[in-house]
C-alpha cells in the first residue's frame, strides 16, 4: 500500500519528477517520472521473491495498490481509495475491465467503498450495499475493506436484508469457484482477462461496445449488474440464457450463459478447503445444433506441481444422441489423476430446464429428452424444473440451519 510512492506535503503528492533514480539490474538510471509506477512493480516483485525464498513449496499471494506492466506476474491489485457512492460502485466495473485489458487479470475494488459512509436513507442504503456485495462477489479479486473513521461496513452492519444479500452473493461465488479457477488458468496462459468487456461476446453488436453495466467472466458467463441508482437497463449478448444459480435478492446480479456452453460448478461451501469438488455439477446450455462444450481445470490448489503437469484440464462435450444427449470427456491434459466422483448434468434448451442426469466422471453419461419437450406446457416445464432441482448437487443457496 502507498507504493506509488506518495509525498503528502507537496502539490504533486509524490517525489519531484526530476528526482533521479540510480536504476539497477535491467533498469537504467532515470528521473522519477519514469520510475513512479515501476517502484510499485519492483516492490511487488521483491515481496514475491522474498516469500518464495522463505517458503519455496507454496505459491506466494501478494496484493499491491500500485504497479507497472509486468506486475501481474507477482501480485493481484485493488483499485485504491474508492468511496461508498453510486459513482464508484459503477466505476468499479470499468476499472477492472481496463486493468484486465492492460494485462492485470486479478483485480477488484474495495467492497462496499473504502471511504465515506454511503447513502443516509434506510431504503436506499439497503439497496446500495446489497448491490455492492452482489457486484463485488463476481469480480476476480473480492474483498471487503473500509477506511479508518468510517462507519462499520461488515455485511451484517447494515441490517438483516443486506446481510442476507451478502450471504447469498458469497455463497454463489463459492459455487462458481471451479469455473472461476478455470478462467484464471486460461488467463495465465493466454493473457486474456478473467473479467472481460461484454463486446468480447459479439464483436458485431454495437450495443455491447459502450456497455459497462455488465461484463463477462471467462467466455461463457455474462454478469448483468444493477450499479446505478436510476436502474438503467444493461444490454446483454443476444441469445444467452439465464444461468440458474438461484438467489432471492433482486439486487444481486443476473447471470447468463453462452449458447453451446458447459459451466462447471461445485457444492456450496463456506471456505475453499471445506469440501472437495464432489459431486461436480455441469450446467449445459445447448446451441441450435444441440451441442455444447466446456472446460474444467484442476490442480493441487497450491504449490508448483502444475509446472510438472500435475494438473488436469478436462474438456467436456455434449452431442445429440437419439432421444437425448451424451456427455463425455472429449479431451484431457495433464497427469493429475481424475477424482472418483459423481457428475450431475443439467441441460437447458430454449431457455428452460429440460432434463437432468448423473453418472461417474470420465464415463459417458446419457441424458434423455422428455417426451413432448419441443412443445411443453407450463405444467411440464415446472415438472422438469422440480425434477432437475431434486437431482442437483444441493441447493445453490440455503440459509444455515
Amino acid at each position: 500500500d502507498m507504493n506509488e510512492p506518495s509525498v503528502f506535503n507537496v502539490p504533486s503528492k509524490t517525489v519531484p519528477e526530476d528526482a533521479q533514480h540510480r536504476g539497477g539490474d535491467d533498469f537504467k538510471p532515470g528521473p522519477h517520472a519514469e520510475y513512479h509506477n515501476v517502484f510499485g512493480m519492483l516492490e511487488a516483485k521483491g515481496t514475491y521473491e522474498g516469500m518464495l525464498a522463505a517458503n519455496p513449496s507454496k505459491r506466494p499471494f501478494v496484493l499491491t495498490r500500485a504497479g507497472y506492466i509486468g506486475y501481474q506476474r507477482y501480485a493481484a491489485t485493488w483499485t485504491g481509495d474508492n468511496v461508498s457512492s453510486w459513482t464508484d460502485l459503477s466505476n468499479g466495473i470499468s476499472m477492472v475491465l481496463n486493468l484486465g485489458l492492460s494485462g492485470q487479470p486479478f483485480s477488484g475494488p474495495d467492497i462496499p467503498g473504502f471511504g465515506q459512509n454511503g447513502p443516509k436513507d434506510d431504503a436506499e442504503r439497503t439497496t446500495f450495499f446489497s448491490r455492492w456485495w452482489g457486484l463485488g462477489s463476481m469480480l476476480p479479486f473480492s474483498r471487503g475493506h473500509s477506511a479508518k473513521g468510517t462507519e462499520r461496513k461488515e455485511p451484517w452492519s447494515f441490517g438483516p436484508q443486506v446481510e442476507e444479500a451478502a450471504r447469498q452473493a458469497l455463497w454463489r461465488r463459492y459455487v462458481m469457484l471451479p469455473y472461476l479457477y478455470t478462467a484464471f488458468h486460461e488467463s495465465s496462459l493466454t493473457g486474456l482477462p478473467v473479467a472481460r468487456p461484454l463486446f468480447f461476446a459479439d464483436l458485431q453488436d454495437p450495443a455491447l461496445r459502450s456497455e459497462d453495466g455488465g461484463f463477462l467472466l471467462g467466455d461463457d458467463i455474462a454478469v448483468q449488474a444493477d450499479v446505478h441508482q436510476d436502474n438503467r437497463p444493461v444490454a446483454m449478448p443476444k441469445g444467452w440464457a439465464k444461468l440458474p444459480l438461484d438467489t432471492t435478492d433482486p439486487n444481486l446480479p443476473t447471470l447468463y450463459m453462452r449458447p453451446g456452453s458447459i459451466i462447471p460448478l461445485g457444492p456450496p461451501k463456506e471456505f475453499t478447503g471445506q469440501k472437495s469438488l464432489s459431486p461436480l455439477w455441469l450446467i449445459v446450455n445447448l446451441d441450435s445444433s444441440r451441442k455444447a462444450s466446456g472446460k474444467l481445470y484442476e490442480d493441487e490448489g497450491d504449490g508448483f506441481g502444475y509446472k510438472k503437469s500435475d494438473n488436469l484440464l478436462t474438456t467436456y462435450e455434449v452431442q445429440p444422441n437419439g432421444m437425448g444427449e451424451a456427455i463425455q470427456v472429449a479431451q484431457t491434459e495433464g497427469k493429475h489423476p481424475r477424482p472418483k466422483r459423481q457428475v450431475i448434468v443439467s441441460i437447458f434448451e430454449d431457455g428452460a430446464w429440460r432434463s437432468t442426469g448423473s453418472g461417474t466422471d470420465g464415463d459417458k453419461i446419457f441424458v434423455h429428452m422428455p417426451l413432448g419437450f419441443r412443445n411443453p406446457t407450463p405444467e411440464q416445464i415446472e415438472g422438469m424444473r422440480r425434477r432437475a432441482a431434486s437431482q442437483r448437487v444441493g441447493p445453490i443457496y440455503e440459509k444455515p440451519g
Side-chain angles (χ1 to χ4, degrees):
D1 197 3
M2 300 305 301
N3 53 343
E4 284 76 343
S6 299
V7 180
F8 284 130
N9 60 348
V10 296
S12 67
K13 303 300 181 185
T14 188
V15 176
E17 290 188 356
D18 59 353
Q20 294 296 302
H21 293 265
R22 294 175 180 172
D25 295 332
D26 298 327
F27 295 93
K28 68 182 190 306
H32 184 71
E34 294 182 19
Y35 274 88
H36 180 80
N37 295 327
V38 174
F39 187 95
M41 186 270 284
L42 292 176
E43 188 178 62
K45 179 183 179 183
T47 305
Y48 180 95
E49 292 175 347
M51 294 175 67
L52 192 59
N55 195 347
S57 65
K58 299 294 183 182
R59 304 176 199 172
F61 177 77
V62 183
L63 179 68
T64 184
R65 192 172 86 169
Y68 187 74
I69 294 170
Y71 81 120
Q72 72 277 4
R73 291 175 291 177
Y74 312 112
T77 194
W78 84 101
T79 59
D81 291 353
N82 63 346
V83 298
S84 295
S85 70
W86 287 101
T87 298
D88 279 7
L89 171 58
S90 61
N91 283 346
I93 296 178
S94 55
M95 294 181 77
V96 168
L97 294 181
N98 278 287
L99 280 165
L101 294 174
S102 301
Q104 172 55 286
F106 199 176
S107 70
D110 284 341
I111 310 169
F114 179 69
Q116 301 182 11
N117 293 322
K120 295 183 179 180
D121 177 77
D122 288 344
E124 184 183 350
R125 283 172 66 83
T126 296
T127 299
F128 175 77
F129 287 113
S130 295
R131 291 184 185 177
W132 248 119
W133 282 101
L135 170 65
S137 67
M138 290 291 102
L139 294 173
F141 178 68
S142 182
R143 174 184 73 160
H145 192 46
S146 60
K148 182 179 179 180
T150 59
E151 296 177 0
R152 300 305 295 259
K153 292 181 180 177
E154 291 89 351
W156 51 86
S157 303
F158 307 104
Q161 188 171 335
V162 175
E163 180 182 7
E164 180 67 12
R167 181 184 287 116
Q168 292 187 31
L170 296 172
W171 202 259
R172 183 161 63 174
R173 179 181 180 88
Y174 274 93
V175 169
M176 291 173 61
L177 282 181
Y179 178 83
L180 289 171
Y181 200 58
T182 302
F184 269 96
H185 169 256
E186 180 191 29
S187 179
S188 74
L189 298 178
T190 67
L192 282 168
V194 174
R196 306 169 186 178
L198 284 170
F199 70 79
F200 274 39
D202 186 356
L203 298 178
Q204 306 301 317
D205 187 350
L208 300 181
R209 290 191 169 268
S210 60
E211 182 58 76
D212 58 5
F215 53 94
L216 302 177
L217 283 175
D219 264 345
D220 295 332
I221 292 179
V223 180
Q224 185 181 46
D226 202 346
V227 293
H228 298 285
Q229 189 175 5
D230 56 5
N231 302 312
R232 65 189 67 172
V234 177
M236 283 283 109
K238 295 182 177 67
W240 289 39
K242 287 187 177 181
L243 180 66
L245 288 180
D246 304 330
T247 57
T248 60
D249 194 297
N251 292 306
L252 300 186
T254 303
L255 307 182
Y256 294 83
M257 57 189 303
R258 180 192 294 274
S261 64
I262 299 176
I263 308 296
L265 304 173
K269 51 182 148 182
E270 295 182 356
F271 58 92
T272 54
Q274 184 185 25
K275 302 175 184 176
S276 63
L277 181 52
S278 179
L280 168 65
W281 187 24
L282 301 178
I283 297 187
V284 179
N285 185 25
L286 297 176
D287 63 15
S288 58
S289 60
R290 290 175 59 203
K291 296 180 180 179
S293 64
K295 294 184 178 182
L296 171 65
Y297 174 79
E298 301 170 271
D299 61 22
E300 58 191 335
D302 204 348
F304 298 94
Y306 68 91
K307 292 187 175 182
K308 299 179 181 179
S309 296
D310 185 14
N311 54 12
L312 181 64
L313 178 62
T314 304
T315 301
Y316 294 95
E317 187 176 80
V318 173
Q319 296 281 352
N321 186 279
M323 290 301 295
E325 274 73 39
I327 297 89
Q328 60 187 4
V329 173
Q331 186 177 351
T332 298
E333 298 177 31
K335 299 178 181 178
H336 193 76
R338 182 171 303 282
K340 295 181 180 180
R341 62 189 170 200
Q342 182 189 25
V343 177
I344 310 292
V345 181
S346 296
I347 292 185
F348 260 68
E349 190 174 8
D350 299 331
W353 281 107
R354 207 207 64 193
S355 49
T356 296
S358 64
T360 301
D361 194 10
D363 295 344
K364 184 177 288 189
I365 301 172
F366 293 95
V367 181
H368 299 286
M369 179 188 297
L371 293 176
F373 174 76
R374 287 298 173 182
N375 295 289
T377 66
E379 291 76 15
Q380 287 174 317
I381 293 175
E382 181 58 30
M384 294 177 216
R385 188 184 301 276
R386 286 196 301 270
R387 286 193 295 276
S390 69
Q391 297 180 67
R392 291 188 199 178
V393 175
I396 286 304
Y397 169 75
E398 61 180 4
K399 201 169 183 177

